[in-house]
PDB file of all heavy atoms in Angstrom:
ATOM      1  N   GLY A   1     238.352 192.434  25.092  1.00 96.00           N
ATOM      2  CA  GLY A   1     237.285 191.757  24.374  1.00 96.00           C
ATOM      3  C   GLY A   1     236.246 191.137  25.285  1.00 96.00           C
ATOM      4  O   GLY A   1     235.071 191.014  24.903  1.00 96.00           O
ATOM      5  N   PHE A   2     236.671 190.747  26.495  1.00 97.00           N
ATOM      6  CA  PHE A   2     235.749 190.134  27.449  1.00 97.00           C
ATOM      7  C   PHE A   2     235.385 191.071  28.612  1.00 97.00           C
ATOM      8  O   PHE A   2     234.730 190.653  29.555  1.00 97.00           O
ATOM      9  CB  PHE A   2     236.358 188.855  28.026  1.00 97.00           C
ATOM     10  CG  PHE A   2     236.401 187.701  27.060  1.00 97.00           C
ATOM     11  CD1 PHE A   2     237.562 187.407  26.365  1.00 97.00           C
ATOM     12  CD2 PHE A   2     235.280 186.928  26.832  1.00 97.00           C
ATOM     13  CE1 PHE A   2     237.602 186.339  25.473  1.00 97.00           C
ATOM     14  CE2 PHE A   2     235.312 185.862  25.939  1.00 97.00           C
ATOM     15  CZ  PHE A   2     236.477 185.565  25.254  1.00 97.00           C
ATOM     16  N   ASN A   3     235.862 192.333  28.544  1.00 97.00           N
ATOM     17  CA  ASN A   3     235.615 193.303  29.624  1.00 97.00           C
ATOM     18  C   ASN A   3     236.133 192.762  30.954  1.00 97.00           C
ATOM     19  O   ASN A   3     235.442 192.791  31.979  1.00 97.00           O
ATOM     20  CB  ASN A   3     234.130 193.639  29.722  1.00 97.00           C
ATOM     21  CG  ASN A   3     233.870 194.880  30.575  1.00 97.00           C
ATOM     22  OD1 ASN A   3     234.764 195.711  30.765  1.00 97.00           O
ATOM     23  ND2 ASN A   3     232.669 194.998  31.110  1.00 97.00           N
ATOM     24  N   MET A   4     237.363 192.269  30.935  1.00 97.00           N
ATOM     25  CA  MET A   4     237.964 191.611  32.107  1.00 97.00           C
ATOM     26  C   MET A   4     238.685 192.596  33.020  1.00 97.00           C
ATOM     27  O   MET A   4     239.302 193.557  32.563  1.00 97.00           O
ATOM     28  CB  MET A   4     239.006 190.578  31.664  1.00 97.00           C
ATOM     29  CG  MET A   4     238.482 189.340  31.025  1.00 97.00           C
ATOM     30  SD  MET A   4     239.886 188.268  30.561  1.00 97.00           S
ATOM     31  CE  MET A   4     238.998 186.894  29.828  1.00 97.00           C
ATOM     32  N   THR A   5     238.628 192.318  34.304  1.00 97.00           N
ATOM     33  CA  THR A   5     239.589 192.830  35.274  1.00 97.00           C
ATOM     34  C   THR A   5     240.565 191.697  35.536  1.00 97.00           C
ATOM     35  O   THR A   5     240.139 190.588  35.885  1.00 97.00           O
ATOM     36  CB  THR A   5     238.896 193.251  36.575  1.00 97.00           C
ATOM     37  OG1 THR A   5     237.960 194.295  36.306  1.00 97.00           O
ATOM     38  CG2 THR A   5     239.917 193.731  37.595  1.00 97.00           C
ATOM     39  N   PHE A   6     241.861 191.926  35.359  1.00 98.00           N
ATOM     40  CA  PHE A   6     242.809 190.824  35.479  1.00 98.00           C
ATOM     41  C   PHE A   6     244.109 191.305  36.113  1.00 98.00           C
ATOM     42  O   PHE A   6     244.398 192.512  36.163  1.00 98.00           O
ATOM     43  CB  PHE A   6     243.105 190.219  34.093  1.00 98.00           C
ATOM     44  CG  PHE A   6     244.007 191.067  33.232  1.00 98.00           C
ATOM     45  CD1 PHE A   6     245.384 190.839  33.195  1.00 98.00           C
ATOM     46  CD2 PHE A   6     243.497 192.106  32.463  1.00 98.00           C
ATOM     47  CE1 PHE A   6     246.215 191.624  32.413  1.00 98.00           C
ATOM     48  CE2 PHE A   6     244.325 192.896  31.674  1.00 98.00           C
ATOM     49  CZ  PHE A   6     245.688 192.650  31.641  1.00 98.00           C
ATOM     50  N   ALA A   7     244.885 190.347  36.591  1.00 97.00           N
ATOM     51  CA  ALA A   7     246.206 190.644  37.125  1.00 97.00           C
ATOM     52  C   ALA A   7     247.074 189.394  37.036  1.00 97.00           C
ATOM     53  O   ALA A   7     246.580 188.271  37.222  1.00 97.00           O
ATOM     54  CB  ALA A   7     246.127 191.127  38.571  1.00 97.00           C
ATOM     55  N   PHE A   8     248.352 189.587  36.728  1.00 97.00           N
ATOM     56  CA  PHE A   8     249.336 188.512  36.768  1.00 97.00           C
ATOM     57  C   PHE A   8     250.128 188.633  38.068  1.00 97.00           C
ATOM     58  O   PHE A   8     250.475 189.745  38.487  1.00 97.00           O
ATOM     59  CB  PHE A   8     250.280 188.601  35.567  1.00 97.00           C
ATOM     60  CG  PHE A   8     249.664 188.138  34.272  1.00 97.00           C
ATOM     61  CD1 PHE A   8     249.019 189.040  33.440  1.00 97.00           C
ATOM     62  CD2 PHE A   8     249.734 186.804  33.895  1.00 97.00           C
ATOM     63  CE1 PHE A   8     248.452 188.624  32.247  1.00 97.00           C
ATOM     64  CE2 PHE A   8     249.165 186.374  32.706  1.00 97.00           C
ATOM     65  CZ  PHE A   8     248.521 187.279  31.878  1.00 97.00           C
ATOM     66  N   HIS A   9     250.417 187.505  38.697  1.00 96.00           N
ATOM     67  CA  HIS A   9     251.083 187.498  39.996  1.00 96.00           C
ATOM     68  C   HIS A   9     252.279 186.551  39.988  1.00 96.00           C
ATOM     69  O   HIS A   9     252.206 185.460  39.399  1.00 96.00           O
ATOM     70  CB  HIS A   9     250.116 187.046  41.094  1.00 96.00           C
ATOM     71  CG  HIS A   9     248.801 187.742  41.077  1.00 96.00           C
ATOM     72  ND1 HIS A   9     248.602 188.982  41.645  1.00 96.00           N
ATOM     73  CD2 HIS A   9     247.597 187.366  40.540  1.00 96.00           C
ATOM     74  CE1 HIS A   9     247.330 189.340  41.468  1.00 96.00           C
ATOM     75  NE2 HIS A   9     246.716 188.380  40.812  1.00 96.00           N
ATOM     76  N   ASP A  10     253.335 186.968  40.650  1.00 95.00           N
ATOM     77  CA  ASP A  10     254.489 186.099  40.890  1.00 95.00           C
ATOM     78  C   ASP A  10     254.283 185.431  42.245  1.00 95.00           C
ATOM     79  O   ASP A  10     254.328 186.096  43.284  1.00 95.00           O
ATOM     80  CB  ASP A  10     255.767 186.929  40.883  1.00 95.00           C
ATOM     81  CG  ASP A  10     257.034 186.077  41.042  1.00 95.00           C
ATOM     82  OD1 ASP A  10     256.929 184.913  41.489  1.00 95.00           O
ATOM     83  OD2 ASP A  10     258.118 186.581  40.728  1.00 95.00           O
ATOM     84  N   ASP A  11     254.050 184.116  42.246  1.00 92.00           N
ATOM     85  CA  ASP A  11     253.769 183.416  43.502  1.00 92.00           C
ATOM     86  C   ASP A  11     254.968 183.371  44.437  1.00 92.00           C
ATOM     87  O   ASP A  11     254.839 183.010  45.606  1.00 92.00           O
ATOM     88  CB  ASP A  11     253.295 181.980  43.204  1.00 92.00           C
ATOM     89  CG  ASP A  11     251.849 181.947  42.716  1.00 92.00           C
ATOM     90  OD1 ASP A  11     251.179 182.992  42.814  1.00 92.00           O
ATOM     91  OD2 ASP A  11     251.400 180.894  42.237  1.00 92.00           O
ATOM     92  N   GLY A  12     256.135 183.734  43.926  1.00 91.00           N
ATOM     93  CA  GLY A  12     257.321 183.746  44.776  1.00 91.00           C
ATOM     94  C   GLY A  12     257.465 185.010  45.599  1.00 91.00           C
ATOM     95  O   GLY A  12     258.314 185.082  46.489  1.00 91.00           O
ATOM     96  N   LEU A  13     256.656 186.023  45.303  1.00 95.00           N
ATOM     97  CA  LEU A  13     256.733 187.286  46.032  1.00 95.00           C
ATOM     98  C   LEU A  13     255.766 187.279  47.208  1.00 95.00           C
ATOM     99  O   LEU A  13     254.599 186.925  47.057  1.00 95.00           O
ATOM    100  CB  LEU A  13     256.405 188.458  45.104  1.00 95.00           C
ATOM    101  CG  LEU A  13     257.351 188.683  43.920  1.00 95.00           C
ATOM    102  CD1 LEU A  13     256.884 189.873  43.090  1.00 95.00           C
ATOM    103  CD2 LEU A  13     258.778 188.897  44.398  1.00 95.00           C
ATOM    104  N   LYS A  14     256.238 187.694  48.362  1.00 97.00           N
ATOM    105  CA  LYS A  14     255.396 187.748  49.546  1.00 97.00           C
ATOM    106  C   LYS A  14     254.627 189.071  49.607  1.00 97.00           C
ATOM    107  O   LYS A  14     255.133 190.114  49.186  1.00 97.00           O
ATOM    108  CB  LYS A  14     256.233 187.581  50.817  1.00 97.00           C
ATOM    109  CG  LYS A  14     256.874 186.214  50.951  1.00 97.00           C
ATOM    110  CD  LYS A  14     257.636 186.102  52.263  1.00 97.00           C
ATOM    111  CE  LYS A  14     258.222 184.709  52.443  1.00 97.00           C
ATOM    112  NZ  LYS A  14     258.935 184.568  53.742  1.00 97.00           N
ATOM    113  N   THR A  15     253.420 189.014  50.126  1.00 98.00           N
ATOM    114  CA  THR A  15     252.608 190.209  50.312  1.00 98.00           C
ATOM    115  C   THR A  15     253.110 190.991  51.522  1.00 98.00           C
ATOM    116  O   THR A  15     253.256 190.436  52.615  1.00 98.00           O
ATOM    117  CB  THR A  15     251.132 189.826  50.522  1.00 98.00           C
ATOM    118  OG1 THR A  15     250.654 189.159  49.352  1.00 98.00           O
ATOM    119  CG2 THR A  15     250.281 191.059  50.795  1.00 98.00           C
ATOM    120  N   LYS A  16     253.373 192.269  51.330  1.00 98.00           N
ATOM    121  CA  LYS A  16     253.816 193.108  52.444  1.00 98.00           C
ATOM    122  C   LYS A  16     252.609 193.472  53.303  1.00 98.00           C
ATOM    123  O   LYS A  16     251.616 194.003  52.790  1.00 98.00           O
ATOM    124  CB  LYS A  16     254.502 194.369  51.924  1.00 98.00           C
ATOM    125  CG  LYS A  16     255.835 194.105  51.234  1.00 98.00           C
ATOM    126  CD  LYS A  16     256.509 195.407  50.832  1.00 98.00           C
ATOM    127  CE  LYS A  16     257.876 195.126  50.214  1.00 98.00           C
ATOM    128  NZ  LYS A  16     258.558 196.388  49.831  1.00 98.00           N
ATOM    129  N   ALA A  17     252.712 193.192  54.597  1.00 98.00           N
ATOM    130  CA  ALA A  17     251.559 193.366  55.484  1.00 98.00           C
ATOM    131  C   ALA A  17     251.921 194.172  56.725  1.00 98.00           C
ATOM    132  O   ALA A  17     253.025 194.035  57.273  1.00 98.00           O
ATOM    133  CB  ALA A  17     250.997 192.014  55.902  1.00 98.00           C
ATOM    134  N   ILE A  18     250.990 194.997  57.154  1.00 98.00           N
ATOM    135  CA  ILE A  18     251.046 195.693  58.438  1.00 98.00           C
ATOM    136  C   ILE A  18     250.063 194.994  59.376  1.00 98.00           C
ATOM    137  O   ILE A  18     248.900 194.774  59.021  1.00 98.00           O
ATOM    138  CB  ILE A  18     250.651 197.176  58.297  1.00 98.00           C
ATOM    139  CG1 ILE A  18     251.717 197.967  57.532  1.00 98.00           C
ATOM    140  CG2 ILE A  18     250.391 197.804  59.667  1.00 98.00           C
ATOM    141  CD1 ILE A  18     252.977 198.255  58.326  1.00 98.00           C
ATOM    142  N   ILE A  19     250.522 194.632  60.567  1.00 98.00           N
ATOM    143  CA  ILE A  19     249.649 194.043  61.588  1.00 98.00           C
ATOM    144  C   ILE A  19     249.295 195.127  62.596  1.00 98.00           C
ATOM    145  O   ILE A  19     250.168 195.839  63.091  1.00 98.00           O
ATOM    146  CB  ILE A  19     250.334 192.871  62.313  1.00 98.00           C
ATOM    147  CG1 ILE A  19     250.953 191.884  61.322  1.00 98.00           C
ATOM    148  CG2 ILE A  19     249.346 192.170  63.239  1.00 98.00           C
ATOM    149  CD1 ILE A  19     249.987 191.220  60.408  1.00 98.00           C
ATOM    150  N   MET A  20     248.000 195.236  62.914  1.00 98.00           N
ATOM    151  CA  MET A  20     247.546 196.194  63.918  1.00 98.00           C
ATOM    152  C   MET A  20     246.920 195.428  65.085  1.00 98.00           C
ATOM    153  O   MET A  20     246.126 194.508  64.866  1.00 98.00           O
ATOM    154  CB  MET A  20     246.561 197.185  63.307  1.00 98.00           C
ATOM    155  CG  MET A  20     247.201 198.045  62.214  1.00 98.00           C
ATOM    156  SD  MET A  20     246.066 199.226  61.423  1.00 98.00           S
ATOM    157  CE  MET A  20     245.665 200.293  62.798  1.00 98.00           C
ATOM    158  N   VAL A  21     247.279 195.799  66.298  1.00 98.00           N
ATOM    159  CA  VAL A  21     246.868 195.049  67.483  1.00 98.00           C
ATOM    160  C   VAL A  21     246.646 196.010  68.644  1.00 98.00           C
ATOM    161  O   VAL A  21     247.242 197.095  68.684  1.00 98.00           O
ATOM    162  CB  VAL A  21     247.943 193.993  67.847  1.00 98.00           C
ATOM    163  CG1 VAL A  21     249.248 194.663  68.251  1.00 98.00           C
ATOM    164  CG2 VAL A  21     247.458 193.047  68.943  1.00 98.00           C
ATOM    165  N   SER A  22     245.798 195.612  69.575  1.00 96.00           N
ATOM    166  CA  SER A  22     245.608 196.392  70.799  1.00 96.00           C
ATOM    167  C   SER A  22     246.166 195.608  71.982  1.00 96.00           C
ATOM    168  O   SER A  22     247.370 195.451  72.095  1.00 96.00           O
ATOM    169  CB  SER A  22     244.137 196.754  70.993  1.00 96.00           C
ATOM    170  OG  SER A  22     243.733 197.699  70.018  1.00 96.00           O
ATOM    171  N   ARG A  23     245.295 195.043  72.825  1.00 94.00           N
ATOM    172  CA  ARG A  23     245.792 194.403  74.047  1.00 94.00           C
ATOM    173  C   ARG A  23     245.634 192.895  74.054  1.00 94.00           C
ATOM    174  O   ARG A  23     246.069 192.238  74.997  1.00 94.00           O
ATOM    175  CB  ARG A  23     245.092 194.999  75.264  1.00 94.00           C
ATOM    176  CG  ARG A  23     245.645 196.374  75.616  1.00 94.00           C
ATOM    177  CD  ARG A  23     245.090 196.893  76.922  1.00 94.00           C
ATOM    178  NE  ARG A  23     245.926 197.927  77.482  1.00 94.00           N
ATOM    179  CZ  ARG A  23     245.470 199.015  78.092  1.00 94.00           C
ATOM    180  NH1 ARG A  23     244.164 199.192  78.217  1.00 94.00           N
ATOM    181  NH2 ARG A  23     246.291 199.911  78.583  1.00 94.00           N
ATOM    182  N   PHE A  24     245.011 192.308  73.032  1.00 94.00           N
ATOM    183  CA  PHE A  24     244.904 190.853  72.931  1.00 94.00           C
ATOM    184  C   PHE A  24     245.896 190.394  71.878  1.00 94.00           C
ATOM    185  O   PHE A  24     245.735 190.680  70.692  1.00 94.00           O
ATOM    186  CB  PHE A  24     243.475 190.429  72.563  1.00 94.00           C
ATOM    187  CG  PHE A  24     242.449 190.826  73.581  1.00 94.00           C
ATOM    188  CD1 PHE A  24     241.595 191.890  73.345  1.00 94.00           C
ATOM    189  CD2 PHE A  24     242.341 190.136  74.779  1.00 94.00           C
ATOM    190  CE1 PHE A  24     240.643 192.265  74.284  1.00 94.00           C
ATOM    191  CE2 PHE A  24     241.395 190.504  75.727  1.00 94.00           C
ATOM    192  CZ  PHE A  24     240.543 191.570  75.486  1.00 94.00           C
ATOM    193  N   GLY A  25     246.919 189.635  72.307  1.00 96.00           N
ATOM    194  CA  GLY A  25     248.046 189.346  71.421  1.00 96.00           C
ATOM    195  C   GLY A  25     248.057 187.977  70.794  1.00 96.00           C
ATOM    196  O   GLY A  25     249.031 187.626  70.117  1.00 96.00           O
TER     197      GLY A  25
END
C-alpha cells in the first residue's frame, strides 16, 4: 500500500563478513 522496501531483522544474528587485506594490517 505504501510501495515499501522493507526487511525484518533478528538483532541476535551476526552478519557474516569476509575481510580483504593486502600489506597494511
Side-chain angles (χ1 to χ4, degrees):
F2 287 98
N3 194 22
M4 289 179 180
T5 299
F6 75 95
F8 285 91
H9 311 278
D10 184 342
D11 284 349
L13 297 180
K14 294 183 177 182
T15 298
K16 292 184 177 181
I18 290 286
I19 311 298
M20 296 179 64
V21 65
S22 290
R23 284 188 160 141
F24 298 104

